[in-house]
Amino acid sequence: MPRGRYSLHDPHDHTPLGEEHFQCAPGPSGWRYVSRITTPSGDDAGSVDLALDELGRPIRLELHAASWQVRGAALDGVTWVRTDPTGTHATEGNVRAHAFTGTSPAFLIATARLLRLAPGSPATRVRLVAFTDPVLASRTLDQSWALVKSEAHATDNGALVVDEYQVGALDTGEQHTVHIAGDVVLSAPGIELEELESPPSVFPTE
């Protein structure tokens, strides 16, 4: 069960946004990721709890940030409920999308797991619902994902396969690179892996 810490920063000006302390593991029904997020000063800034089924679909999502809360799942596309800080009002959303996304590295793992791309295959288009900090406002976006290459790197614990993805925003044309090993993000815009207590888990091959 990988356990570690990501540092989060603004991908444009590199302003520190905080840290995400996480643990994750594949299980009999899929994969689960839980984390707590702290500000640069160490204060609590929220949490992520994401569970995927064996096909990579989100069967449960729970986000907390700035007293706001979102609960969601794959249902008729994706469906979610967002609750305001007072808890007196809740708004429900539903979009014909494939999955969720956001600032957490968990969503990059989840999208890669959902798409299961082959190296060198054409880019795949995916529609996602993003929740933006700090109030977890939702917006729908389209991305293109391509697995550029997979390379094995020798480590003390055996070979570590690193996947390099090219991810593009279809509305702006902006592209960036994401490196993933198993169920851990090694690097991505705004994300750096700072600590990892055990090797990444390897998803079973179909």
Side-chain angles (χ1 to χ4, degrees):
M1 177 183 294
R3 183 191 304 263
R5 174 174 60 90
Y6 294 107
S7 62
L8 308 176
H9 56 268
D10 187 294
H12 302 292
D13 62 14
H14 302 288
T15 301
L17 300 178
E19 294 184 332
E20 187 159 337
H21 303 258
F22 73 95
Q23 62 184 66
C24 56
S29 61
W31 181 72
R32 187 179 180 198
Y33 177 103
V34 294
S35 70
R36 62 181 183 87
I37 302 165
T38 57
T39 66
S41 61
D43 296 329
D44 180 63
S47 62
V48 178
D49 189 340
L50 174 65
L52 309 179
D53 66 10
E54 67 276 6
L55 298 178
R57 298 172 299 193
I59 54 176
R60 187 183 73 255
L61 170 67
E62 186 169 327
L63 300 176
H64 292 266
S67 299
W68 293 88
Q69 174 181 295
V70 164
R71 294 175 183 264
L75 181 66
D76 295 327
V78 292
T79 299
W80 68 94
V81 175
R82 176 176 174 267
T83 305
D84 67 291
T86 66
T88 56
H89 301 285
T91 57
E92 182 172 327
N94 172 261
V95 172
R96 289 288 180 182
H98 299 94
F100 300 109
T101 192
T103 56
S104 172
F107 295 113
L108 296 175
I109 302 291
T111 303
R113 184 63 181 158
L114 177 70
L115 298 178
R116 305 190 191 200
L117 302 174
S121 60
T124 296
R125 177 172 177 157
V126 60
R127 173 159 289 184
L128 304 169
V129 172
F131 296 107
T132 55
D133 297 331
V135 296
L136 301 180
S138 63
R139 69 185 182 98
T140 304
L141 54 86
D142 293 308
Q143 292 182 338
S144 66
W145 278 65
L147 178 52
V148 178
K149 60 183 177 181
S150 296
E151 291 186 341
H153 298 263
T155 70
D156 295 339
N157 298 299
L160 180 69
V161 177
V162 177
D163 295 326
E164 178 183 323
Y165 291 92
Q166 190 78 24
V167 180
L170 296 184
D171 56 346
T172 65
E174 182 179 4
Q175 293 194 337
H176 57 267
T177 301
V178 175
H179 290 95
I180 294 175
D183 58 355
V184 172
V185 175
L186 302 181
S187 66
I191 299 167
E192 292 294 338
L193 179 65
E194 301 291 351
E195 293 179 5
L196 187 63
E197 295 182 7
S198 57
S201 299
V202 178
F203 288 110
T205 56
E206 290 73 17

